[in-house]
């Protein structure tokens, strides 16, 4: 832990040093990268928004715990991507912002980031129950319990950030909250790095153990490899792949520090590239991995994804067959 703390402190110094060395940016560079960020965020949020719209329009999804957890993951991605995009745009345009406003944005962004692995663990457990306890599934996985579980996910994420906030209030002077700073977690919550590393390790260990437990139980529970069991195993493997992408968020500071050490003159380019590959790409893969591969969800999604206009007319044979 001491080594991690030392690395994080050196990372903060490196960020400040390279920021001041690369403070001058051309207007065309700023405009181009902001346009890319905004375009990516709008495109991915449009796809995710279509998933949410499909979910809310059809009763069969709203009463299924599996789709409720999936849509919570999508909504969480929308919030996280919007905030991270806003932060990167602010970083490019204003460089520094008020600490109090930065804290508000960071708290929400951190909570949504921590929600992702916890939500994946819950989705893995739901898949395990569906395969290993099919006769008890309706009793164990209810809509009410699913929403309670989502509340617990947000509660766990909020609890993990509370020590950061308490230490910030205790350690930093009041004038710090009226100052301006580069809006990143390591630049604002500077006194809780060791605790943060510990909480991240505990969270990821619990989630990985959950994934391994559910995967191997599903693997051994099915002696006859039917289509449903194969799909369940593939889904759990995708959960593991998604979790690997989430883990990139936790090593991003160390990766950024290493790249800045080698290429100190490319501060903004490195920050932009890491944001696209670590923050944006996993949110782009999520709806493809989970939404489009589900046949039932895909059939309804295709009606809305390309902004198809459905004109409601008097009931006729076509509408009756379509289920309207």
């Amino acid at each position: 832990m001491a080594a991690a703390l030392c690395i994080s402190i050196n990372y903060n110094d490196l960020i400040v040093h390279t920021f001041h060395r690369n403070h001058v940016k051309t207007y065309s560079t700023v405009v181009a990268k902001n346009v890319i960020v905004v375009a990516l965020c709008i495109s991915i949020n449009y796809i995710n928004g279509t998933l949410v719209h499909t979910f809310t329009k059809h009763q069969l999804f709203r009463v299924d715990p599996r789709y409720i957890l999936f849509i919570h993951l999508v909504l969480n991605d929308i919030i996280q991507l919007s905030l991270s995009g806003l932060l990167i745009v602010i970083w490019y345009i204003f460089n520094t912002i008020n600490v109090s406003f930065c804290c508000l944005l960071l708290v929400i962004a951190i909570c949504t980031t921590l929600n992702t692995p916890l939500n994946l663990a819950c989705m893995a457990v739901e898949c395990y129950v569906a395969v290993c306890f099919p006769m008890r599934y309706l009793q164990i996985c209810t809509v009410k319990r699913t929403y309670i579980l989502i509340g617990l996910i947000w509660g766990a994420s909020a609890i993990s950030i509370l020590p950061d906030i308490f230490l910030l209030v205790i350690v930093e002077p009041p004038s710090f909250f009226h100052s301006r700073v580069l809006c990143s977690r390591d630049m604002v919550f500077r006194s809780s790095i060791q605790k943060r590393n510990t909480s991240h390790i505990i969270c990821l260990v619990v989630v990985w153990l959950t994934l391994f437990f559910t995967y191997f139980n599903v693997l051994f529970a099915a002696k006859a490899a039917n289509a449903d069991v194969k799909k369940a195993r593939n889904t759990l493997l995708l959960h593991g792949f998604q979790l690997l992408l989430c883990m990139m968020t936790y090593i991003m500071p160390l990766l950024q520090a290493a790249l800045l050490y080698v290429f100190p003159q490319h501060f903004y380019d490195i920050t932009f590239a890491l944001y696209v590959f670590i923050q944006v790409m996993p949110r782009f893969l999520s709806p493809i991995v989970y939404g489009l591969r589900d046949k039932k969800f895909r059939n309804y999604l295709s009606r809305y994804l390309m902004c198809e206009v459905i004109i409601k007319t008097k009931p006729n044979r076509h509408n009756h067959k379509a289920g309207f």
Side-chain angles (χ1 to χ4, degrees):
M1 287 299 173
L5 178 61
C6 180
I7 292 174
S8 299
I9 292 174
N10 292 336
Y11 166 71
N12 290 344
D13 295 338
L14 183 62
I15 286 290
V16 175
H17 178 65
T18 53
F19 169 75
H20 288 297
R21 286 183 59 182
N22 296 272
H23 185 73
V24 179
K25 311 180 292 298
T26 63
Y27 177 78
S28 59
T29 300
V30 172
V31 172
K33 292 184 176 179
N34 276 284
V35 168
I36 293 174
V37 168
V38 172
L40 286 173
C41 291
I42 292 176
S43 301
I44 297 174
N45 280 343
Y46 167 72
I47 298 174
N48 285 335
T50 307
L51 294 173
V52 175
H53 178 74
T54 304
F55 172 82
T56 57
K57 286 294 182 179
H58 301 284
Q59 178 71 17
L60 75 161
F61 298 131
R62 299 200 301 270
V63 297
D64 192 327
R66 178 173 304 170
Y67 293 105
I68 294 173
L69 287 173
F70 167 65
I71 288 302
H72 174 252
L73 180 67
V74 172
L75 286 170
N76 187 79
D77 283 350
I78 291 175
I79 297 172
Q80 201 278 338
L81 185 62
S82 299
L83 285 176
S84 63
L86 177 62
L87 286 172
I88 203 76
V89 169
I90 289 175
W91 200 353
Y92 270 103
I93 296 177
F94 302 106
N95 296 314
T96 60
I97 62 173
N98 179 267
V99 171
S100 299
F101 180 59
C102 176
C103 287
L104 176 63
L105 297 179
L106 286 177
V107 167
I108 302 175
I110 292 168
C111 284
T112 53
T113 301
L114 293 175
N115 282 348
T116 300
L118 297 177
N119 200 105
L120 290 172
C122 293
M123 293 172 71
V125 172
E126 184 276 334
C127 185
Y128 159 72
V129 173
V131 173
C132 297
F133 304 99
M135 303 301 294
R136 299 181 57 193
Y137 178 83
L138 294 178
Q139 288 75 32
I140 297 174
C141 298
T142 64
V143 173
K144 181 179 180 181
R145 289 179 179 176
T146 304
Y147 283 113
I148 292 174
L149 189 60
I150 291 174
L152 293 175
I153 291 175
W154 279 93
S157 299
I159 290 174
S160 69
I161 192 63
L162 283 178
D164 288 349
I165 298 174
F166 289 148
L167 284 173
L168 180 67
V169 173
I170 293 172
V171 173
E172 300 294 346
S175 59
F176 176 73
F177 296 94
H178 300 286
S179 62
R180 298 176 68 87
V181 69
L182 288 172
C183 194
S184 69
R185 186 173 188 177
D186 290 316
M187 298 301 297
V188 176
F189 301 110
R190 298 174 293 185
S191 303
S192 55
I193 297 174
Q194 185 173 1
K195 187 280 309 174
R196 186 189 317 156
N197 292 332
T198 303
S199 64
H200 287 170
I201 292 173
I202 293 174
C203 176
L204 292 176
V205 167
V206 170
V207 173
W208 274 114
L209 288 176
T210 302
L211 286 177
F212 281 124
F213 173 80
T214 54
Y215 178 77
F216 286 109
N217 273 276
V218 169
L219 187 66
F220 297 135
K223 295 181 180 179
N226 55 54
D228 290 336
V229 174
K230 287 182 178 180
K231 184 178 179 180
R233 279 184 280 181
N234 292 336
T235 299
L236 291 174
L237 288 175
L238 290 173
H239 289 334
F241 174 69
Q242 188 76 356
L243 184 59
L244 285 174
L245 295 178
C246 293
M247 290 176 64
M248 294 294 293
T249 304
Y250 302 116
I251 67 172
M252 182 175 175
L254 296 179
L255 184 60
Q256 186 175 21
L259 291 174
L260 287 176
Y261 182 79
V262 179
F263 307 104
Q265 69 276 17
H266 296 291
F267 173 74
Y268 289 100
D269 295 331
I270 291 172
T271 302
F272 176 77
L274 290 177
Y275 168 76
V276 171
F277 286 105
I278 295 179
Q279 295 288 350
V280 175
M281 292 308 296
R283 273 75 198 177
F284 176 72
L285 294 175
S286 182
I288 296 177
V289 167
Y290 298 113
L292 300 183
R293 67 184 292 266
D294 186 278
K295 185 177 180 180
K296 182 167 64 174
F297 201 92
R298 186 173 65 247
N299 289 338
Y300 287 93
L301 178 64
S302 61
R303 306 179 186 182
Y304 305 108
L305 191 58
M306 300 306 295
C307 296
E308 179 181 353
V309 178
I310 301 176
I311 302 175
K312 294 185 178 181
T313 58
K314 294 181 179 181
N316 52 39
R317 186 175 62 179
H318 174 73
N319 286 345
H320 177 72
K321 290 181 178 180
F324 290 106

